[in-house]
Amino acid sequence: MNKYPKALENLIECYSKLPSVGKKTAERYALYTLFSMDESDMIDFTNALISLRKDIHICPNCGNITESSLCTICSDDTRNKRQVLVVESVKDLLTIEKVNEFRGVYHVLNGAINFSKGIGIDDLNIDSLIEKVKNNEIDELILATNATIEGETTARYIKELLNSYDIKITRLAHGLPVGGDLSYADEMTVLKAFEGRRDY
Amino acid sequence: MNKYPKALENLIECYSKLPSVGKKTAERYALYTLFSMDESDMIDFTNALISLRKDIHICPNCGNITESSLCTICSDDTRNKRQVLVVESVKDLLTIEKVNEFRGVYHVLNGAINFSKGIGIDDLNIDSLIEKVKNNEIDELILATNATIEGETTARYIKELLNSYDIKITRLAHGLPVGGDLSYADEMTVLKAFEGRRDY
């Protein structure tokens, strides 16, 4: 038997869609929203959600999210436009940006080749990248697709596709995570660590 | 250095106001909202927040939250209107409702007497309760204010106030929580358990 007003029930339902938020936590969030958030916080919250839908769109140049016509990275003149890092998703891009190491630009594929799900190369955001390579706009392509079957397949596919062009194609190093214990590493990671071992 | 678009930053800020949600979790929620929630989920979410502000108000009879003129409890004819359980907050009411044991109605004080914060009896939602007692509309008043200094003070104050009227005033039993280990109980709880001990 449920005693919550419908509006509160709806909000609980919405919160419970967030990652690793169960019914109990969603209920706590919703009750907090109702009883402890002040009017202005709630207006901010609503506006943030509306603005997320309305103001954020995809950068036509690289596939990053942006509120302007070009994203902050593509419109940054200090970044090397001839060095392009290829990622599967905007999330991956944001992860790399946090490190503050890379000073080139990105290309977001928006997925990876996955035959079992029927996702082929044509379903990815790749045409504009090929076009740039053809027009000799790129010196180095850093493939940073995930170290999964899908990511590896995609990386290999892109390499094949661009083999005939005179550009440097590199792949981010895979190996043991820094600070990680060897005994916790999975086989694939250990294998990659062996493959990539260097003189010491 | 921050690379998130403003709309995303704002949403992270909003999520981080939820109870025990830090910056990292808020970021995860916001990224999920942006990348993994579909259009209709986000519209539902926005509408739920708007409706929470717009549709939920306070029941004039008991202080519960409601979307109608009277709350579902006050407008339920099967409930005993002459047995009134007094709680500090709607959250407490909801907790008791979940047990599905109580078949009377509620009165939400909307706080408790707290001299250090300057909250006196006049700041509580109590006039309508006194009025009902005076008009002989109540048989039993169950005081379920919290077992804190503030809650106890409030309970005592209400009892004093209504001493001259012919109604039964009871207080919810305090003691060791069911399933709890004695060694984990705080002194106050053990004390209450002694005070309330019964023949066995």
Side-chain angles (χ1 to χ4, degrees), chain B residues 91-135:
Chain B
K91 270 191 195 179
D92 295 339
L93 181 159
L94 296 171
T95 305
I96 292 174
E97 267 308 279
K98 270 189 195 155
V99 182
N100 243 324
E101 164 70 25
F102 180 61
R103 296 298 302 158
V105 294
Y106 294 87
H107 185 87
V108 181
L109 294 173
N110 217 359
I113 294 173
N114 186 333
F115 295 119
S116 67
K117 285 189 181 165
I119 302 171
I121 194 81
D122 295 336
D123 299 308
L124 303 182
N125 170 34
I126 197 163
D127 292 347
S128 61
L129 181 69
I130 309 283
E131 207 56 38
K132 279 183 204 157
V133 173
K134 281 184 184 165
N135 296 341

Side-chain angles (χ1 to χ4, degrees), chain A residues 6 27 29 67 98, chain B residues 6 27 29 67 97-98:
Chain A
K6 186 134 181 48
E27 200 178 317
Y29 288 172
E67 288 175 314
K98 269 188 197 158
Chain B
K6 187 131 184 45
E27 200 177 315
Y29 288 172
E67 288 175 314
E97 267 308 279
K98 270 189 195 155

Side-chain angles (χ1 to χ4, degrees), chain A residues 3-4 6-7 17 19-21 27-29 32 41-42 46 50-51 53 67 94 97-98 100, chain B residues 1 3-4 6-7 17 19-21 27-29 32 41-42 46 50-51 53 67 94 97-98:
Chain A
K3 290 284 160 37
Y4 288 140
K6 186 134 181 48
K17 284 187 181 141
S20 55
V21 172
E27 200 178 317
R28 196 153 61 98
Y29 288 172
Y32 183 90
D41 281 346
M42 281 185 63
T46 316
I50 292 173
S51 149
R53 276 212 330 271
E67 288 175 314
L94 296 171
E97 268 308 279
K98 269 188 197 158
N100 243 324
Chain B
M1 196 157 83
K3 291 284 161 35
Y4 289 140
K6 187 131 184 45
K17 284 186 180 141
S20 56
V21 172
E27 200 177 315
R28 197 153 60 98
Y29 288 172
Y32 182 90
D41 281 347
M42 282 186 62
T46 315
I50 292 173
S51 148
R53 276 212 331 268
E67 288 175 314
L94 296 171
E97 267 308 279
K98 270 189 195 155

Side-chain angles (χ1 to χ4, degrees), chain A residues 158-173:
Chain A
I158 294 174
K159 190 176 157 50
E160 290 298 318
L161 215 59
L162 302 176
N163 239 349
S164 54
Y165 297 95
D166 181 31
I167 53 165
K168 189 176 168 188
I169 299 184
T170 58
R171 180 116 174 85
L172 276 198

Side-chain angles (χ1 to χ4, degrees), chain A residues 49-92:
Chain A
L49 281 170
I50 292 173
S51 149
L52 199 70
R53 276 212 330 271
K54 199 168 55 77
D55 299 338
I56 292 189
H57 51 264
I58 300 299
C59 173
N61 195 44
C62 73
N64 187 11
I65 49 172
T66 176
E67 288 175 314
S68 322
S69 55
L70 281 183
C71 77
T72 49
I73 296 168
C74 287
S75 54
D76 182 345
D77 286 337
T78 70
R79 300 189 72 132
N80 180 4
K81 302 290 188 317
R82 302 189 63 84
Q83 190 183 37
V84 178
L85 194 145
V86 180
V87 285
E88 293 182 20
S89 71
V90 177
K91 269 191 196 178
D92 295 339

